[in-house]
Amino acid sequence: MEYSVHIRMNERLFLREPESSDLGRRIIRQGILLFNDVGFEEATFRKLAERINTKEASIYRYFENKHRLLVYLVAWYWQWVDFQLVFQTNNLTSPREKLEKLLRLLLLLDLDDSFSDDMDIRALHSTVIREASKVYLTHHVTEDNRQQLFKPYKDLCQRIADIILAYRPDYPYAHSKASSLIETSHYQSFFMQNLPSLTDFKQADSSEPEAMNKLLDFMRHLLFSSLDAV
Amino acid sequence: MEYSVHIRMNERLFLREPESSDLGRRIIRQGILLFNDVGFEEATFRKLAERINTKEASIYRYFENKHRLLVYLVAWYWQWVDFQLVFQTNNLTSPREKLEKLLRLLLLLDLDDSFSDDMDIRALHSTVIREASKVYLTHHVTEDNRQQLFKPYKDLCQRIADIILAYRPDYPYAHSKASSLIETSHYQSFFMQNLPSLTDFKQADSSEPEAMNKLLDFMRHLLFSSLDAV
DNA sequence: GCGTAAATGATAGTATTACTATCAGGTAAA
DNA sequence: TTTACCTGATAGTAATACTATCATTTACGC
């Protein structure tokens, strides 16, 4: 049995609903791959148009600009993570186990198939690691925030904070801890791959899993040492 | 008595040494202010040229492009922090006190005068918080790393890791902890100011110090709970 | 199947950005 | 005083980031 869980997005993220047409879906799916291949700065709507055999102008009918497309993709990702978190922890009663699940989810371990709703989740995860902070590290962050563009990220943080508070009801930094957890998992992944001397997870050989498991250990240590502190 | 400690920069960061001429110094000092005022994305060499009454082409004689100017400024900042850390902890024997000093330094508390070598440190700090990650979150990170552009950041991490290891000789994550500390202090500052629901530091009134002190408490908690864990 | 509205393709055009090139004039050092 | 170097000034190019227009195709309602 297969489920297709459609993620409903904030309407201010796009000009025309991309999931409503074939072209729109190609923009999203290939947009992920383009960002992955050339990076956000070097990506252009012209290149994306060539990739999907359409014209620049057609893409502009869906998204105001490249930045908005990135915001959309990142928002989609956070909603996906949020859904996965709810789904995977639904049967669990122990907050500690939920947090354990969360860590594996943030690092995208045990992902059964890397496509969901036809989206390349692994590629999206890589893109989010590299580019997500550019979504809010802008001069117009306040205006974007007013338009609720970051709501999926905030919702996820709130959900994590709730689990933290279920684990330790009097923990005073639940929200900061939640946002730190997300951010730390991302740039430690990035550093591990690109600037390994900023981490303690050197890959012995070219097979990743060993380093990835050490990163997971670190994240677990970070999380529980602070939550279990007096 | 005044000291003027000149920070020597990696020569691959510029085309012509900016500290060697009046124009070069204006590029650096006003560059900080421009990034602060309009943000990295909206800044251009043309705007900077207008600000310092010169021409675009003259700035290109000092820096290959806007990104390299940012890399320069951020590298300068890390070298400045590194120097401050050494200087301020020189007389201390207790690693714990050194770490305490470090936290205050990363948050730029107790900065006596906000100018150093005529650089507006507060403005630079704000710029680093908002823009520093764009220095390495690029498609050409590997090439830039090969050119040693991130050495000041790595050196600072190494110095912090050394202090951590002086405090807990068998701590297995000294480098990751060091880089996490720096990054966390920055985006928590950013979130506190721009997306406060991602933190637990709401400002009661418009005076910052209260929230800032709570952030310091959080950072102290994060650092020592993990280092003091079994 | 027919008529209408909406989506797309195709082409063109503009303003801005991100540079590069050239050369004249001024300044500083030898 | 010659020479080298730095800066100012102007110009120009390629690419980017859009916007506008109109013909064509597709989808949908009847």
Short mmCIF file of all heavy atoms in Angstrom, two decimals, chain A residues 23-82:
data_model
loop_
_atom_site.label_atom_id
_atom_site.label_comp_id
_atom_site.label_asym_id
_atom_site.label_seq_id
_atom_site.Cartn_x
_atom_site.Cartn_y
_atom_site.Cartn_z
N LEU A 23 4.68 21.34 -15.56
CA LEU A 23 5.81 22.27 -15.60
C LEU A 23 6.23 22.68 -14.19
O LEU A 23 7.41 22.69 -13.85
CB LEU A 23 5.44 23.51 -16.43
CG LEU A 23 6.54 24.56 -16.54
CD1 LEU A 23 7.78 24.02 -17.22
CD2 LEU A 23 6.03 25.79 -17.31
N GLY A 24 5.24 23.01 -13.37
CA GLY A 24 5.52 23.40 -11.98
C GLY A 24 6.29 22.31 -11.25
O GLY A 24 7.27 22.59 -10.56
N ARG A 25 5.84 21.09 -11.40
CA ARG A 25 6.53 19.98 -10.72
C ARG A 25 7.95 19.81 -11.23
O ARG A 25 8.87 19.53 -10.46
CB ARG A 25 5.73 18.67 -10.89
CG ARG A 25 4.56 18.54 -9.90
CD ARG A 25 3.85 17.19 -10.03
NE ARG A 25 3.16 17.08 -11.31
CZ ARG A 25 1.92 17.49 -11.54
NH1 ARG A 25 1.21 18.02 -10.57
NH2 ARG A 25 1.37 17.37 -12.74
N ARG A 26 8.14 20.01 -12.52
CA ARG A 26 9.51 19.91 -13.07
C ARG A 26 10.39 21.03 -12.51
O ARG A 26 11.59 20.82 -12.24
CB ARG A 26 9.47 19.98 -14.59
CG ARG A 26 9.36 18.59 -15.24
CD ARG A 26 8.61 18.62 -16.57
NE ARG A 26 9.20 19.48 -17.58
CZ ARG A 26 8.50 20.20 -18.47
NH1 ARG A 26 7.17 20.17 -18.47
NH2 ARG A 26 9.10 20.94 -19.37
N ILE A 27 9.82 22.21 -12.35
CA ILE A 27 10.60 23.32 -11.78
C ILE A 27 11.12 22.94 -10.39
O ILE A 27 12.30 23.11 -10.08
CB ILE A 27 9.74 24.60 -11.69
CG1 ILE A 27 9.45 25.14 -13.10
CG2 ILE A 27 10.42 25.67 -10.85
CD1 ILE A 27 8.43 26.27 -13.14
N ILE A 28 10.23 22.39 -9.57
CA ILE A 28 10.61 22.00 -8.22
C ILE A 28 11.65 20.89 -8.23
O ILE A 28 12.72 21.01 -7.63
CB ILE A 28 9.35 21.51 -7.45
CG1 ILE A 28 8.31 22.63 -7.37
CG2 ILE A 28 9.71 21.01 -6.07
CD1 ILE A 28 8.81 23.86 -6.71
N ARG A 29 11.33 19.81 -8.94
CA ARG A 29 12.22 18.64 -8.92
C ARG A 29 13.58 18.94 -9.52
O ARG A 29 14.63 18.57 -8.98
CB ARG A 29 11.58 17.46 -9.66
CG ARG A 29 10.69 16.60 -8.76
CD ARG A 29 9.26 16.87 -9.00
NE ARG A 29 8.32 16.23 -8.11
CZ ARG A 29 7.37 16.92 -7.46
NH1 ARG A 29 7.32 18.23 -7.52
NH2 ARG A 29 6.50 16.28 -6.70
N GLN A 30 13.57 19.61 -10.65
CA GLN A 30 14.86 19.93 -11.28
C GLN A 30 15.55 21.10 -10.59
O GLN A 30 16.77 21.23 -10.66
CB GLN A 30 14.64 20.23 -12.76
CG GLN A 30 14.28 19.00 -13.58
CD GLN A 30 15.40 17.98 -13.64
OE1 GLN A 30 16.56 18.33 -13.78
NE2 GLN A 30 15.04 16.71 -13.50
N GLY A 31 14.76 21.96 -9.96
CA GLY A 31 15.36 23.06 -9.18
C GLY A 31 16.26 22.50 -8.09
O GLY A 31 17.39 22.97 -7.90
N ILE A 32 15.78 21.48 -7.41
CA ILE A 32 16.60 20.82 -6.38
C ILE A 32 17.91 20.34 -6.98
O ILE A 32 18.99 20.59 -6.43
CB ILE A 32 15.83 19.62 -5.78
CG1 ILE A 32 14.61 20.10 -5.00
CG2 ILE A 32 16.74 18.79 -4.90
CD1 ILE A 32 13.68 18.97 -4.58
N LEU A 33 17.81 19.68 -8.12
CA LEU A 33 19.02 19.11 -8.72
C LEU A 33 19.97 20.20 -9.22
O LEU A 33 21.18 20.08 -9.11
CB LEU A 33 18.63 18.15 -9.85
CG LEU A 33 17.72 16.99 -9.41
CD1 LEU A 33 17.38 16.10 -10.60
CD2 LEU A 33 18.36 16.17 -8.30
N LEU A 34 19.40 21.27 -9.75
CA LEU A 34 20.25 22.36 -10.21
C LEU A 34 21.01 23.01 -9.05
O LEU A 34 22.23 23.20 -9.12
CB LEU A 34 19.42 23.43 -10.94
CG LEU A 34 20.20 24.64 -11.42
CD1 LEU A 34 21.25 24.26 -12.47
CD2 LEU A 34 19.28 25.72 -11.98
N PHE A 35 20.28 23.34 -7.97
CA PHE A 35 20.94 23.91 -6.80
C PHE A 35 22.04 22.98 -6.31
O PHE A 35 23.11 23.41 -5.89
CB PHE A 35 19.93 24.16 -5.68
CG PHE A 35 19.06 25.38 -5.89
CD1 PHE A 35 17.77 25.44 -5.38
CD2 PHE A 35 19.53 26.48 -6.61
CE1 PHE A 35 16.96 26.56 -5.57
CE2 PHE A 35 18.72 27.61 -6.79
CZ PHE A 35 17.44 27.65 -6.27
N ASN A 36 21.75 21.69 -6.38
CA ASN A 36 22.73 20.72 -5.94
C ASN A 36 23.96 20.69 -6.82
O ASN A 36 25.08 20.55 -6.34
CB ASN A 36 22.09 19.34 -5.94
CG ASN A 36 22.30 18.64 -4.64
OD1 ASN A 36 23.40 18.22 -4.35
ND2 ASN A 36 21.26 18.61 -3.82
N ASP A 37 23.74 20.82 -8.10
CA ASP A 37 24.85 20.70 -9.04
C ASP A 37 25.74 21.94 -9.07
O ASP A 37 26.97 21.82 -9.12
CB ASP A 37 24.32 20.44 -10.45
CG ASP A 37 23.76 19.03 -10.60
OD1 ASP A 37 23.92 18.23 -9.65
OD2 ASP A 37 23.17 18.73 -11.65
N VAL A 38 25.12 23.11 -9.12
CA VAL A 38 25.94 24.31 -9.33
C VAL A 38 25.94 25.26 -8.14
O VAL A 38 26.70 26.22 -8.13
CB VAL A 38 25.50 25.07 -10.60
CG1 VAL A 38 25.48 24.15 -11.80
CG2 VAL A 38 24.14 25.73 -10.42
N GLY A 39 25.13 24.98 -7.14
CA GLY A 39 25.03 25.88 -5.98
C GLY A 39 24.07 27.02 -6.24
O GLY A 39 23.79 27.37 -7.39
N PHE A 40 23.57 27.60 -5.17
CA PHE A 40 22.55 28.64 -5.29
C PHE A 40 23.03 29.85 -6.08
O PHE A 40 22.35 30.34 -6.97
CB PHE A 40 22.09 29.07 -3.89
CG PHE A 40 21.08 30.17 -3.91
CD1 PHE A 40 19.78 29.95 -4.36
CD2 PHE A 40 21.41 31.45 -3.46
CE1 PHE A 40 18.84 30.97 -4.37
CE2 PHE A 40 20.46 32.47 -3.47
CZ PHE A 40 19.18 32.24 -3.94
N GLU A 41 24.22 30.34 -5.76
CA GLU A 41 24.71 31.57 -6.39
C GLU A 41 24.85 31.42 -7.90
O GLU A 41 24.50 32.32 -8.65
CB GLU A 41 26.07 31.98 -5.79
CG GLU A 41 25.99 32.65 -4.43
CD GLU A 41 25.66 31.69 -3.29
OE1 GLU A 41 25.85 30.46 -3.45
OE2 GLU A 41 25.17 32.16 -2.25
N GLU A 42 25.33 30.28 -8.33
CA GLU A 42 25.58 30.08 -9.76
C GLU A 42 24.33 29.62 -10.51
O GLU A 42 24.33 29.58 -11.73
CB GLU A 42 26.72 29.08 -9.97
CG GLU A 42 28.11 29.67 -9.78
CD GLU A 42 28.42 30.00 -8.33
OE1 GLU A 42 27.88 29.31 -7.45
OE2 GLU A 42 29.16 30.96 -8.07
N ALA A 43 23.30 29.26 -9.80
CA ALA A 43 22.07 28.83 -10.46
C ALA A 43 21.33 30.05 -11.02
O ALA A 43 21.35 31.12 -10.43
CB ALA A 43 21.18 28.08 -9.48
N THR A 44 20.72 29.88 -12.18
CA THR A 44 19.87 30.93 -12.76
C THR A 44 18.62 30.28 -13.31
O THR A 44 18.61 29.08 -13.61
CB THR A 44 20.56 31.68 -13.90
OG1 THR A 44 20.76 30.78 -15.00
CG2 THR A 44 21.90 32.27 -13.48
N PHE A 45 17.58 31.09 -13.47
CA PHE A 45 16.35 30.56 -14.05
C PHE A 45 16.58 30.15 -15.51
O PHE A 45 15.91 29.27 -16.02
CB PHE A 45 15.22 31.59 -13.94
CG PHE A 45 14.51 31.56 -12.61
CD1 PHE A 45 14.89 30.68 -11.61
CD2 PHE A 45 13.42 32.38 -12.37
CE1 PHE A 45 14.23 30.64 -10.38
CE2 PHE A 45 12.75 32.34 -11.15
CZ PHE A 45 13.14 31.48 -10.17
N ARG A 46 17.51 30.82 -16.15
CA ARG A 46 17.83 30.45 -17.53
C ARG A 46 18.38 29.01 -17.59
O ARG A 46 17.94 28.19 -18.39
CB ARG A 46 18.84 31.43 -18.12
CG ARG A 46 19.14 31.21 -19.59
CD ARG A 46 19.93 32.39 -20.15
NE ARG A 46 19.18 33.62 -19.99
CZ ARG A 46 18.82 34.42 -20.99
NH1 ARG A 46 19.18 34.12 -22.22
NH2 ARG A 46 18.15 35.52 -20.76
N LYS A 47 19.33 28.71 -16.71
CA LYS A 47 19.89 27.35 -16.67
C LYS A 47 18.81 26.33 -16.33
O LYS A 47 18.76 25.25 -16.92
CB LYS A 47 21.00 27.28 -15.62
CG LYS A 47 22.28 27.99 -16.00
CD LYS A 47 23.31 27.90 -14.88
CE LYS A 47 24.51 28.80 -15.15
NZ LYS A 47 25.36 28.98 -13.94
N LEU A 48 17.96 26.69 -15.38
CA LEU A 48 16.89 25.77 -14.99
C LEU A 48 15.95 25.54 -16.16
O LEU A 48 15.52 24.41 -16.42
CB LEU A 48 16.14 26.35 -13.78
CG LEU A 48 14.98 25.52 -13.22
CD1 LEU A 48 15.41 24.09 -12.91
CD2 LEU A 48 14.42 26.18 -11.96
N ALA A 49 15.65 26.62 -16.89
CA ALA A 49 14.75 26.52 -18.03
C ALA A 49 15.33 25.57 -19.08
O ALA A 49 14.62 24.71 -19.61
CB ALA A 49 14.51 27.90 -18.63
N GLU A 50 16.62 25.70 -19.34
CA GLU A 50 17.26 24.81 -20.31
C GLU A 50 17.15 23.36 -19.87
O GLU A 50 16.83 22.47 -20.66
CB GLU A 50 18.73 25.18 -20.48
CG GLU A 50 18.94 26.37 -21.42
CD GLU A 50 20.33 26.99 -21.28
OE1 GLU A 50 21.24 26.31 -20.78
OE2 GLU A 50 20.48 28.17 -21.67
N ARG A 51 17.36 23.14 -18.58
CA ARG A 51 17.31 21.80 -18.02
C ARG A 51 15.94 21.14 -18.22
O ARG A 51 15.86 19.92 -18.35
CB ARG A 51 17.57 21.91 -16.52
CG ARG A 51 18.45 20.86 -15.93
CD ARG A 51 18.65 21.21 -14.46
NE ARG A 51 20.05 21.14 -14.11
CZ ARG A 51 20.59 20.09 -13.44
NH1 ARG A 51 19.84 19.10 -13.05
NH2 ARG A 51 21.86 20.07 -13.16
N ILE A 52 14.89 21.92 -18.16
CA ILE A 52 13.56 21.33 -18.26
C ILE A 52 12.87 21.70 -19.56
O ILE A 52 11.65 21.58 -19.68
CB ILE A 52 12.67 21.70 -17.05
CG1 ILE A 52 12.49 23.22 -16.93
CG2 ILE A 52 13.24 21.17 -15.78
CD1 ILE A 52 11.74 23.64 -15.68
N ASN A 53 13.66 22.15 -20.51
CA ASN A 53 13.13 22.45 -21.85
C ASN A 53 11.96 23.41 -21.84
O ASN A 53 10.90 23.14 -22.41
CB ASN A 53 12.72 21.16 -22.57
CG ASN A 53 13.94 20.36 -22.95
OD1 ASN A 53 14.90 20.92 -23.50
ND2 ASN A 53 13.93 19.08 -22.65
N THR A 54 12.16 24.50 -21.13
CA THR A 54 11.15 25.55 -21.19
C THR A 54 11.90 26.87 -21.26
O THR A 54 13.10 26.89 -21.53
CB THR A 54 10.21 25.50 -19.99
OG1 THR A 54 9.19 26.48 -20.13
CG2 THR A 54 10.94 25.75 -18.69
N LYS A 55 11.18 27.97 -21.04
CA LYS A 55 11.79 29.29 -21.14
C LYS A 55 11.81 29.97 -19.77
O LYS A 55 10.93 29.72 -18.94
CB LYS A 55 11.03 30.15 -22.15
CG LYS A 55 11.04 29.60 -23.56
CD LYS A 55 12.40 29.80 -24.20
CE LYS A 55 12.53 28.94 -25.46
NZ LYS A 55 13.82 29.14 -26.14
N GLU A 56 12.79 30.83 -19.61
CA GLU A 56 12.93 31.63 -18.40
C GLU A 56 11.59 32.21 -17.95
O GLU A 56 11.19 32.08 -16.79
CB GLU A 56 13.88 32.79 -18.75
CG GLU A 56 14.87 33.14 -17.71
CD GLU A 56 15.71 34.32 -18.20
OE1 GLU A 56 15.74 34.59 -19.41
OE2 GLU A 56 16.31 34.98 -17.35
N ALA A 57 10.91 32.85 -18.90
CA ALA A 57 9.67 33.56 -18.57
C ALA A 57 8.63 32.63 -17.93
O ALA A 57 7.87 33.05 -17.06
CB ALA A 57 9.10 34.21 -19.82
N SER A 58 8.62 31.37 -18.37
CA SER A 58 7.64 30.42 -17.80
C SER A 58 7.91 30.18 -16.32
O SER A 58 6.99 30.03 -15.52
CB SER A 58 7.71 29.10 -18.56
OG SER A 58 7.37 29.31 -19.91
N ILE A 59 9.18 30.12 -15.95
CA ILE A 59 9.51 29.88 -14.54
C ILE A 59 9.12 31.09 -13.69
O ILE A 59 8.62 30.94 -12.58
CB ILE A 59 11.01 29.56 -14.38
CG1 ILE A 59 11.35 28.32 -15.24
CG2 ILE A 59 11.35 29.31 -12.94
CD1 ILE A 59 12.79 27.92 -15.17
N TYR A 60 9.30 32.27 -14.27
CA TYR A 60 8.92 33.48 -13.54
C TYR A 60 7.42 33.54 -13.27
O TYR A 60 6.97 34.32 -12.44
CB TYR A 60 9.36 34.74 -14.30
CG TYR A 60 10.79 35.11 -14.03
CD1 TYR A 60 11.78 34.90 -14.98
CD2 TYR A 60 11.17 35.66 -12.81
CE1 TYR A 60 13.10 35.22 -14.74
CE2 TYR A 60 12.49 36.00 -12.56
CZ TYR A 60 13.45 35.77 -13.53
OH TYR A 60 14.76 36.10 -13.27
N ARG A 61 6.65 32.76 -14.02
CA ARG A 61 5.21 32.72 -13.73
C ARG A 61 4.92 31.93 -12.45
O ARG A 61 3.87 32.09 -11.85
CB ARG A 61 4.46 32.09 -14.91
CG ARG A 61 4.43 33.01 -16.11
CD ARG A 61 3.77 32.33 -17.31
NE ARG A 61 3.76 33.22 -18.46
CZ ARG A 61 4.25 32.93 -19.66
NH1 ARG A 61 4.80 31.75 -19.87
NH2 ARG A 61 4.20 33.80 -20.64
N TYR A 62 5.87 31.11 -12.03
CA TYR A 62 5.68 30.32 -10.81
C TYR A 62 6.35 30.95 -9.60
O TYR A 62 5.80 30.90 -8.50
CB TYR A 62 6.22 28.89 -11.03
CG TYR A 62 5.29 28.05 -11.86
CD1 TYR A 62 5.35 28.10 -13.25
CD2 TYR A 62 4.33 27.24 -11.27
CE1 TYR A 62 4.48 27.35 -14.03
CE2 TYR A 62 3.46 26.49 -12.04
CZ TYR A 62 3.54 26.54 -13.42
OH TYR A 62 2.66 25.81 -14.18
N PHE A 63 7.54 31.51 -9.82
CA PHE A 63 8.27 32.08 -8.69
C PHE A 63 8.79 33.47 -9.02
O PHE A 63 9.33 33.68 -10.11
CB PHE A 63 9.44 31.18 -8.30
CG PHE A 63 9.01 29.89 -7.68
CD1 PHE A 63 8.95 28.73 -8.44
CD2 PHE A 63 8.61 29.83 -6.35
CE1 PHE A 63 8.53 27.54 -7.87
CE2 PHE A 63 8.19 28.65 -5.79
CZ PHE A 63 8.15 27.50 -6.54
N GLU A 64 8.63 34.36 -8.08
CA GLU A 64 9.10 35.74 -8.24
C GLU A 64 10.57 35.80 -8.62
O GLU A 64 10.96 36.58 -9.46
CB GLU A 64 8.92 36.49 -6.91
CG GLU A 64 7.79 37.47 -6.86
CD GLU A 64 7.69 38.11 -5.50
OE1 GLU A 64 8.40 39.11 -5.24
OE2 GLU A 64 6.91 37.59 -4.68
N ASN A 65 11.35 34.98 -7.96
CA ASN A 65 12.80 34.96 -8.24
C ASN A 65 13.43 33.71 -7.63
O ASN A 65 12.76 32.92 -6.97
CB ASN A 65 13.47 36.22 -7.72
CG ASN A 65 13.16 36.46 -6.26
OD1 ASN A 65 13.28 35.55 -5.45
ND2 ASN A 65 12.72 37.66 -5.92
N LYS A 66 14.70 33.60 -7.89
CA LYS A 66 15.47 32.44 -7.44
C LYS A 66 15.41 32.27 -5.92
O LYS A 66 15.33 31.15 -5.41
CB LYS A 66 16.92 32.64 -7.90
CG LYS A 66 17.87 31.53 -7.67
CD LYS A 66 19.23 31.79 -8.32
CE LYS A 66 19.99 32.95 -7.70
NZ LYS A 66 21.46 32.86 -7.94
N HIS A 67 15.47 33.37 -5.23
CA HIS A 67 15.46 33.28 -3.77
C HIS A 67 14.14 32.68 -3.26
O HIS A 67 14.13 31.84 -2.37
CB HIS A 67 15.69 34.66 -3.14
CG HIS A 67 15.89 34.61 -1.65
ND1 HIS A 67 14.89 34.90 -0.75
CD2 HIS A 67 16.98 34.27 -0.92
CE1 HIS A 67 15.37 34.74 0.48
NE2 HIS A 67 16.62 34.37 0.41
N ARG A 68 13.04 33.10 -3.87
CA ARG A 68 11.75 32.56 -3.47
C ARG A 68 11.66 31.06 -3.75
O ARG A 68 11.03 30.32 -3.00
CB ARG A 68 10.62 33.30 -4.19
CG ARG A 68 10.34 34.67 -3.61
CD ARG A 68 9.61 34.51 -2.29
NE ARG A 68 9.63 35.73 -1.53
CZ ARG A 68 8.55 36.32 -1.02
NH1 ARG A 68 7.36 35.79 -1.23
NH2 ARG A 68 8.66 37.42 -0.32
N LEU A 69 12.26 30.64 -4.85
CA LEU A 69 12.27 29.20 -5.13
C LEU A 69 13.02 28.46 -4.03
O LEU A 69 12.57 27.42 -3.54
CB LEU A 69 12.92 28.93 -6.50
CG LEU A 69 13.18 27.46 -6.87
CD1 LEU A 69 11.91 26.63 -6.82
CD2 LEU A 69 13.82 27.35 -8.25
N LEU A 70 14.15 29.01 -3.61
CA LEU A 70 14.90 28.39 -2.52
C LEU A 70 14.07 28.35 -1.25
O LEU A 70 14.01 27.32 -0.56
CB LEU A 70 16.21 29.15 -2.28
CG LEU A 70 17.08 28.59 -1.14
CD1 LEU A 70 17.59 27.19 -1.47
CD2 LEU A 70 18.25 29.52 -0.84
N VAL A 71 13.42 29.46 -0.93
CA VAL A 71 12.59 29.51 0.27
C VAL A 71 11.52 28.43 0.20
O VAL A 71 11.25 27.73 1.18
CB VAL A 71 11.94 30.90 0.44
CG1 VAL A 71 11.01 30.92 1.65
CG2 VAL A 71 13.00 31.99 0.60
N TYR A 72 10.93 28.27 -0.97
CA TYR A 72 9.92 27.23 -1.16
C TYR A 72 10.50 25.85 -0.88
O TYR A 72 9.92 25.05 -0.13
CB TYR A 72 9.36 27.30 -2.59
CG TYR A 72 8.30 26.28 -2.90
CD1 TYR A 72 6.95 26.60 -2.81
CD2 TYR A 72 8.64 24.98 -3.29
CE1 TYR A 72 5.96 25.66 -3.09
CE2 TYR A 72 7.66 24.04 -3.57
CZ TYR A 72 6.32 24.38 -3.47
OH TYR A 72 5.36 23.45 -3.75
N LEU A 73 11.61 25.55 -1.49
CA LEU A 73 12.20 24.21 -1.34
C LEU A 73 12.55 23.92 0.12
O LEU A 73 12.29 22.83 0.63
CB LEU A 73 13.46 24.08 -2.21
CG LEU A 73 13.23 24.12 -3.72
CD1 LEU A 73 14.56 24.10 -4.45
CD2 LEU A 73 12.36 22.94 -4.15
N VAL A 74 13.13 24.93 0.77
CA VAL A 74 13.52 24.74 2.17
C VAL A 74 12.28 24.59 3.04
O VAL A 74 12.23 23.72 3.92
CB VAL A 74 14.40 25.91 2.64
CG1 VAL A 74 14.65 25.84 4.13
CG2 VAL A 74 15.74 25.90 1.90
N ALA A 75 11.27 25.39 2.78
CA ALA A 75 10.02 25.27 3.54
C ALA A 75 9.40 23.90 3.34
O ALA A 75 8.94 23.27 4.30
CB ALA A 75 9.04 26.37 3.12
N TRP A 76 9.42 23.43 2.10
CA TRP A 76 8.90 22.08 1.83
C TRP A 76 9.66 21.05 2.65
O TRP A 76 9.07 20.17 3.27
CB TRP A 76 9.04 21.75 0.33
CG TRP A 76 8.27 20.53 -0.10
CD1 TRP A 76 7.02 20.49 -0.64
CD2 TRP A 76 8.70 19.16 0.01
NE1 TRP A 76 6.65 19.19 -0.88
CE2 TRP A 76 7.65 18.35 -0.49
CE3 TRP A 76 9.85 18.54 0.49
CZ2 TRP A 76 7.73 16.96 -0.54
CZ3 TRP A 76 9.93 17.14 0.45
CH2 TRP A 76 8.88 16.37 -0.06
N TYR A 77 10.98 21.20 2.68
CA TYR A 77 11.80 20.25 3.42
C TYR A 77 11.44 20.24 4.91
O TYR A 77 11.29 19.19 5.51
CB TYR A 77 13.29 20.58 3.24
CG TYR A 77 14.18 19.63 3.96
CD1 TYR A 77 14.41 18.36 3.47
CD2 TYR A 77 14.79 19.98 5.16
CE1 TYR A 77 15.21 17.45 4.15
CE2 TYR A 77 15.60 19.09 5.85
CZ TYR A 77 15.81 17.83 5.34
OH TYR A 77 16.60 16.94 6.01
N TRP A 78 11.27 21.44 5.49
CA TRP A 78 10.94 21.48 6.92
C TRP A 78 9.58 20.86 7.19
O TRP A 78 9.38 20.18 8.19
CB TRP A 78 10.99 22.90 7.47
CG TRP A 78 12.37 23.47 7.46
CD1 TRP A 78 12.77 24.67 6.97
CD2 TRP A 78 13.55 22.84 7.99
NE1 TRP A 78 14.13 24.83 7.13
CE2 TRP A 78 14.63 23.73 7.74
CE3 TRP A 78 13.82 21.63 8.62
CZ2 TRP A 78 15.94 23.43 8.12
CZ3 TRP A 78 15.13 21.33 8.99
CH2 TRP A 78 16.17 22.22 8.74
N GLN A 79 8.65 21.05 6.27
CA GLN A 79 7.34 20.42 6.46
C GLN A 79 7.45 18.91 6.32
O GLN A 79 6.78 18.16 7.04
CB GLN A 79 6.32 21.00 5.47
CG GLN A 79 6.04 22.47 5.75
CD GLN A 79 4.81 23.00 5.03
OE1 GLN A 79 4.83 24.08 4.48
NE2 GLN A 79 3.73 22.24 5.04
N TRP A 80 8.30 18.48 5.42
CA TRP A 80 8.53 17.05 5.27
C TRP A 80 9.12 16.46 6.54
O TRP A 80 8.67 15.42 7.04
CB TRP A 80 9.44 16.79 4.07
CG TRP A 80 9.74 15.34 3.81
CD1 TRP A 80 8.99 14.46 3.08
CD2 TRP A 80 10.87 14.59 4.29
NE1 TRP A 80 9.58 13.22 3.08
CE2 TRP A 80 10.73 13.27 3.82
CE3 TRP A 80 11.97 14.91 5.08
CZ2 TRP A 80 11.65 12.27 4.10
CZ3 TRP A 80 12.90 13.92 5.37
CH2 TRP A 80 12.74 12.61 4.88
N VAL A 81 10.14 17.13 7.09
CA VAL A 81 10.77 16.65 8.32
C VAL A 81 9.74 16.62 9.45
O VAL A 81 9.66 15.65 10.20
CB VAL A 81 11.96 17.54 8.73
CG1 VAL A 81 12.46 17.19 10.14
CG2 VAL A 81 13.11 17.40 7.74
N ASP A 82 8.96 17.66 9.54
CA ASP A 82 7.95 17.75 10.58
C ASP A 82 6.99 16.57 10.47
O ASP A 82 6.68 15.89 11.46
CB ASP A 82 7.19 19.07 10.45
CG ASP A 82 6.38 19.40 11.69
OD1 ASP A 82 6.89 19.20 12.81
OD2 ASP A 82 5.23 19.87 11.54
#
